[in-house]
Amino acid sequence: MQIHRFKEHFAGYMFILPSLIGFTAFMLYPIIYSIFLSLMDWNMYQGFGGSTFVGLDNYLEVFKNEYFMGGLINNIKLLVFAVPILLMLALTLAHLLNSQVFGKGALRTVYFLPYITTITATAIVFAALFHEELGPVNGFLRSIGIENAPRWLGSVEWSLPTISIFWVWRNLGYCILIFLAGLQAISPSYYEAAEIDGASGIQKFFRITMPLVSPITFFLAVTMAIFSFSMFAEVKVMTEGGPGTSSYTIVYHIYKEAFERYDMGYASAASIIFFIIILAITTIQWLGQKKWVNY
Amino acid sequence: MKRKALSILSSIILIAALLAGCSTNGNSGSTSQSGANGNKASNSTNNEGASGASFSGKIIIDPIGARHNNAFHEAIEVLRGMDKYKDVEISVLESTDDNIKTTPIKIAAGEQIDLIYNGNPLIQQSWADAGVIIPMDEQVKEKGLNIEETYGEYAKYAYSNEQAYGIPAGVTKWALYYNKSIFDKAGVDYPDPDVPMTWAEYRALAAKLTSGSGGDKVYGAIHLSWPMFWYGEAIMKLGGGEYFYNEEGLSNIEDPIFAHALQETYNMMYEAKSIPTYADIVTSKTEPQAFMNGKYGMFMQGTWLLNWAADKEQYPREWELGIAPMPVDEGTTPKNWGISGTFSMTPTTKNKTLALEIAVDVVRETAKLTSSEIYADQTVEQPNLFKSIADEIDDEQVTYEYLQKLFNNQETIFVSEKITGAKPTQYEELVKNEVELYFTQAQDLDKTISNIKERVDEMLQKGK
């Protein structure tokens, strides 16, 4: 009997072994190694012999670093403004695309296209659209009488909002697709019953659609919050953190410290703190979901 | 119980993996050790080009910025044909500009890179500080190489932290290039080919050449986001990038010439509107090759621009190129700025003696063959310099004789264009952050200067 159970367990472990090896090699080991590096003044060219143990010094440095703190504030702004706007817009558009709209197949493709297009190419096109003098966006604003149109990526006030607009536009297609899957899973009988009871379109949306897609909304809220915090390519391609440090993000700061200044100890400490911040935000979201997510 | 045993087993695997990781780094340390040992071994068997003996082994070169010069590749062929290298496999990596970022990571991972090209002193300094490149004093002494004699005025670029880190190679020297067609349309005389104009005259000229609006706008000049486009006037007056530091080793940014240079550049953007704004240049990702599209009257740039002017397939143009000396702060003595790139050894260089020998030889042989880029070796003639490139450009003023006179004028005062001193990359980044705010009208000039002073001084005085 015991031999049989052992065989059964052994077979089970064998099944999960490939993914366990992958997880250990590519996730767990790098995390543990990063924790180790974060406690060292690490010389990546001399290895352990050329490095010194500094305890929590790197962590203290992170909190004193103006670029990290600036990046953190910008990341929080993105989380607070860009993520809700993205989710609201995606749900609204998904709802429209789920109803009888002309050419909805083509529209779905159009919305999804930015998500699968190279970020460098899309960012350059976006920068051209928002060009201060020659861009069609400011051209339109001027045509409707707005003389002092924003300078978008070229101004301290507008650089982060412009990147946020780009980020929302780029991720919209993905969120719409996920919302659509959720919307299509809602049984039409709920809407039919509501109609018989005389519910209006808005009532149906808020009383039926919203609660029933709340697990999807929660999933997207968590993943998009993480994505917004991990923003790097958009910043690198569009502004390189500028003007000044107005569009710096934490990941961009970590990248610069690790791969331009080769300060792996500091960059690892910043990464660990970044991980803890994301973990805290996700935990808050998990705790909060009990109040509004209906499974 | 089994669960406990499994968790203990997992922990052991993880600890083993962690230690293996540490030992990998130990290995990379020992790679450089074994490099050193390998070096000694090869020394004992190969000993030295100078004594006539030959070398053996493999040399891997990452040329990064040096790859643009065809003469470098021709020089490698010359080296491959030399008797002393008949047993050496000289391998040149397929490099791109991205290698500036990727190659240091490969080196950290222990990949053999024997020689790497530092495009400018800032890169050399940051790589020297991080350990991407290693000092070569021992090998220089062993070879009996007199850096000062061999590389003359460019010898200073060999050093970082008072140690020899590189063999000076490609030299950048700048000039004022201009589009004759824009001058003709504006009815303005071309700049004097021999006597430099002053910065004030340059700015006035840029304003005169500016015309049109919107998509048809022609700017009198173009300044990229590269910082020397604003601080060039200051360092030219002061004597070079060393003057970013005062006598106490702190920031010298409060010297009034820096504020003057900043303000005049700002005025060109927002008052005369004779150059695109900084924000425009950054957000539209304007590359230096933009000058070739014919919408800019003047452009200060290094000799590499000659390659684009010669390449009429990639940069077709219907206008003639003109060249003038760089603007100066005062007087008629030509002044110029530039730097020299260098070839350096890395912690994964297998045979340091051989690597140094090849670095010196490749610089010398490139110097003999180079056409569009001055090379630092002063021990040989550079007979082809500007010869074939002038023929290829085929514009009236761009002749071999003129280019020789302009770039090899012994009277020209040559200053270093980069911030030259302690923590230059951090210094440059802080300056960039603050200047961007000024150029995008987010803060005024006084605040910009005082912020740079405060932040740079703090950075310089801080240990880390």
Side-chain angles (χ1 to χ4, degrees):
Chain A
M1 186 64 188
Q2 268 195 335
I3 290 172
H4 177 73
R5 280 188 67 187
F6 173 78
K7 275 184 179 173
E8 209 171 63
H9 285 183
F10 182 76
Y13 283 121
M14 284 300 106
F15 275 116
I16 62 164
L17 192 62
S19 68
L20 193 67
I21 290 170
F23 175 76
T24 308
F26 299 114
M27 299 287 284
L28 201 56
Y29 169 64
I31 290 171
I32 294 170
Y33 196 53
S34 281
I35 295 170
F36 166 70
L37 290 185
S38 72
L39 303 171
M40 306 289 290
D41 183 4
W42 187 254
N43 184 322
M44 62 193 273
Y45 297 97
Q46 291 177 10
F48 193 73
S51 306
T52 46
F53 179 76
V54 294
L56 297 175
D57 282 4
N58 284 326
Y59 289 88
L60 297 174
E61 280 291 326
V62 171
F63 288 110
K64 283 188 216 159
N65 190 299
E66 57 185 310
Y67 293 102
F68 181 87
M69 297 312 287
L72 177 62
I73 290 166
N74 285 341
N75 272 128
I76 291 170
K77 285 180 189 169
L78 287 166
L79 175 73
V80 172
F81 296 108
V83 175
I85 290 171
L86 169 65
L87 296 184
M88 284 189 279
L89 211 54
L91 181 57
T92 310
L93 288 169
H95 190 65
L96 290 174
L97 288 174
N98 197 39
S99 55
Q100 295 304 315
V101 176
F102 175 72
K104 64 181 176 184
L107 282 172
R108 281 176 198 175
T109 311
V110 167
Y111 282 119
F112 199 65
L113 214 53
Y115 188 73
I116 52 165
T117 311
T118 321
I119 196 160
T120 315
T122 47
I124 288 171
V125 170
F126 213 76
L129 288 174
F130 283 78
H131 190 277
E132 183 188 344
E133 279 184 35
L134 307 175
V137 174
N138 273 8
F140 170 74
L141 293 176
R142 277 192 286 268
S143 73
I144 58 169
I146 299 171
E147 283 307 314
N148 293 320
R151 288 159 62 193
W152 304 112
L153 292 169
S155 86
V156 170
E157 296 80 17
W158 281 96
S159 59
L160 193 65
T162 313
I163 290 175
S164 308
I165 295 170
F166 174 71
W167 182 81
V168 167
W169 172 70
R170 195 172 142 71
N171 286 290
L172 195 59
Y174 170 76
C175 293
I176 288 174
L177 200 74
I178 302 292
F179 270 130
L180 266 174
L183 290 172
Q184 283 166 2
I186 300 173
S187 166
S189 59
Y190 293 120
Y191 294 104
E192 287 160 10
E195 260 175 45
I196 292 165
D197 289 344
S200 67
I202 291 174
Q203 280 174 322
K204 279 191 276 182
F205 181 75
F206 283 104
R207 299 290 171 87
I208 298 171
T209 310
M210 287 274 280
L212 290 178
V213 292
S214 61
I216 303 284
T217 313
F218 174 62
F219 164 75
L220 286 173
V222 171
T223 50
M224 288 299 128
I226 294 170
F227 284 2
S228 79
F229 250 78
S230 326
M231 193 183 290
F232 167 74
E234 291 86 348
V235 174
K236 172 82 180 136
V237 175
M238 294 174 90
T239 61
E240 298 197 354
T245 54
S246 60
S247 58
Y248 250 73
T249 57
I250 296 179
V251 176
Y252 184 65
H253 170 62
I254 292 170
Y255 161 80
K256 283 183 81 77
E257 290 296 322
F259 300 110
E260 287 186 4
R261 294 178 60 188
Y262 313 106
D263 194 347
M264 288 295 169
Y266 173 90
S268 297
S271 303
I272 301 298
I273 292 170
F274 175 66
F275 169 71
I276 292 167
I277 292 169
I278 288 186
L279 192 67
I281 290 167
T282 310
T283 307
I284 292 167
Q285 287 176 311
W286 269 103
L287 294 174
Q289 56 119 359
K290 287 173 193 163
K291 293 186 178 171
W292 64 276
V293 179
N294 302 291
Y295 290 103
Chain B
M1 188 65 190
K2 276 179 189 170
R3 216 177 265 176
K4 198 175 174 187
L6 191 70
S7 68
I8 291 169
L9 184 67
S10 307
S11 307
I12 291 168
I13 291 169
L14 282 175
I15 291 165
L18 182 62
L19 291 175
C22 294
S23 69
T24 306
N25 280 288
N27 285 344
S28 72
S30 67
T31 304
S32 59
Q33 278 297 320
S34 73
N37 293 340
N39 190 14
K40 279 177 194 163
S42 356
N43 288 348
S44 61
T45 53
N46 297 326
N47 235 343
E48 266 297 44
S51 61
S54 62
F55 295 94
S56 65
K58 184 177 183 180
I59 280 282
I60 301 173
I61 304 171
D62 189 341
I64 311 182
R67 76 187 189 279
H68 295 298
N69 191 339
N70 285 337
F72 165 77
H73 300 282
E74 290 163 19
I76 292 289
E77 287 307 317
V78 172
L79 261 63
R80 283 176 180 146
M82 286 180 173
D83 264 1
K84 65 176 174 177
Y85 297 130
K86 66 178 189 295
D87 295 326
V88 176
E89 185 188 343
I90 303 173
S91 170
V92 179
L93 296 180
E94 289 284 330
S95 207
T96 70
D97 289 337
D98 286 344
N99 285 36
I100 291 174
K101 295 272 160 60
T102 56
T103 302
I105 306 301
K106 287 182 189 169
I107 293 167
E111 189 173 320
Q112 182 188 346
I113 305 286
D114 299 282
L115 288 171
I116 188 169
Y117 192 72
N118 312 300
N120 68 58
L122 280 187
I123 296 174
Q124 179 173 306
Q125 183 67 49
S126 66
W127 282 0
D129 290 342
V132 182
I133 55 174
I134 56 171
M136 49 172 66
D137 298 274
E138 202 182 304
Q139 290 73 33
V140 167
K141 196 175 166 193
E142 191 186 336
K143 181 175 165 60
L145 175 69
N146 187 327
I147 291 178
E148 277 65 30
E149 263 180 27
T150 311
Y151 304 105
E153 63 180 321
Y154 311 115
K156 64 181 176 183
Y157 296 104
Y159 301 98
S160 289
N161 305 331
E162 295 172 359
Q163 286 183 292
Y165 269 93
I167 295 300
V171 175
T172 64
K173 282 190 177 178
W174 286 47
L176 181 68
Y177 299 89
Y178 60 91
N179 179 328
K180 286 187 174 178
S181 164
I182 291 175
F183 276 74
D184 293 342
K185 280 176 193 158
V188 175
D189 290 339
Y190 301 141
D192 191 299
D194 300 312
V195 182
M197 64 179 110
T198 64
W199 287 100
E201 287 166 344
Y202 162 74
R203 287 188 280 268
L205 190 54
K208 272 188 205 168
L209 296 171
T210 302
S211 65
S213 63
D216 297 325
K217 177 148 185 169
V218 170
Y219 286 98
I222 175 173
H223 287 192
L224 300 176
S225 58
W226 305 354
M228 72 285 289
F229 277 97
W230 74 262
Y231 71 55
E233 179 178 2
I235 58 159
M236 197 177 261
K237 181 168 185 179
L238 293 172
E242 299 84 346
Y243 290 89
F244 268 98
Y245 301 84
N246 61 23
E247 284 169 0
E248 289 93 50
L250 299 174
S251 175
N252 191 34
I253 202 75
E254 287 179 326
D255 189 304
I257 187 65
F258 285 108
H260 171 78
L262 260 175
Q263 187 163 31
E264 292 296 351
T265 309
Y266 178 95
N267 290 344
M268 288 181 85
M269 289 177 199
Y270 293 104
E271 285 183 14
K273 298 188 177 179
S274 54
I275 55 173
T277 61
Y278 182 89
D280 188 359
I281 292 288
V282 172
T283 58
S284 57
K285 305 261 163 229
T286 306
E287 296 289 332
Q289 289 90 336
F291 174 68
M292 305 311 294
N293 72 20
K295 296 214 164 189
Y296 306 97
M298 298 181 285
F299 189 32
M300 290 178 284
Q301 199 70 175
T303 47
W304 56 81
L305 186 140
L306 297 170
N307 291 312
W308 308 332
D311 188 351
K312 287 169 187 160
E313 222 168 82
Q314 197 170 350
Y315 307 107
R317 59 187 164 92
E318 288 172 356
W319 46 274
E320 268 199 41
L321 183 73
I323 311 181
M326 288 287 284
V328 295
D329 43 290
E330 58 183 3
T332 54
T333 306
K335 290 185 177 182
N336 204 334
W337 68 58
I339 44 91
S340 171
T342 56
F343 281 102
S344 290
M345 298 193 292
T346 80
T348 60
T349 301
K350 286 274 185 217
N351 183 336
K352 296 186 177 73
T353 305
L354 172 60
L356 179 71
E357 192 76 14
I358 294 230
V360 171
D361 283 351
V362 82
V363 170
R364 188 189 61 247
E365 294 305 319
T366 308
K368 287 183 195 170
L369 297 162
T370 186
S371 174
S372 62
E373 182 184 26
I374 299 162
Y375 251 61
D377 194 307
Q378 305 290 297
T379 63
V380 291
E381 293 289 315
Q382 302 192 18
N384 292 328
L385 196 57
F386 305 126
K387 199 171 260 177
S388 57
I389 198 86
D391 293 341
E392 285 169 41
I393 292 172
D394 194 27
D395 281 347
E396 194 186 335
Q397 192 211 343
V398 189
T399 61
Y400 165 67
E401 290 75 19
Y402 178 69
L403 292 174
Q404 281 284 353
K405 193 168 72 172
L406 181 69
F407 291 113
N408 277 340
N409 184 349
Q410 297 303 310
E411 285 176 12
T412 302
I413 296 167
F414 184 70
V415 302
S416 180
E417 78 182 59
K418 299 284 183 190
I419 295 175
T420 309
K423 300 180 180 175
T425 45
Q426 289 99 314
Y427 196 147
E428 191 179 72
E429 185 167 7
L430 291 173
V431 168
K432 178 179 170 280
N433 290 161
E434 294 297 333
V435 167
E436 272 185 356
L437 296 178
Y438 176 58
F439 283 159
T440 54
Q441 300 179 307
Q443 72 184 12
D444 64 24
L445 181 61
D446 291 342
K447 177 96 175 140
T448 304
I449 295 291
S450 66
N451 280 1
I452 294 173
K453 174 69 180 164
E454 192 183 320
R455 293 178 70 186
V456 172
D457 281 358
E458 192 189 337
M459 180 271 295
L460 291 172
Q461 285 166 332
K462 217 168 148 187
K464 186 162 179 169

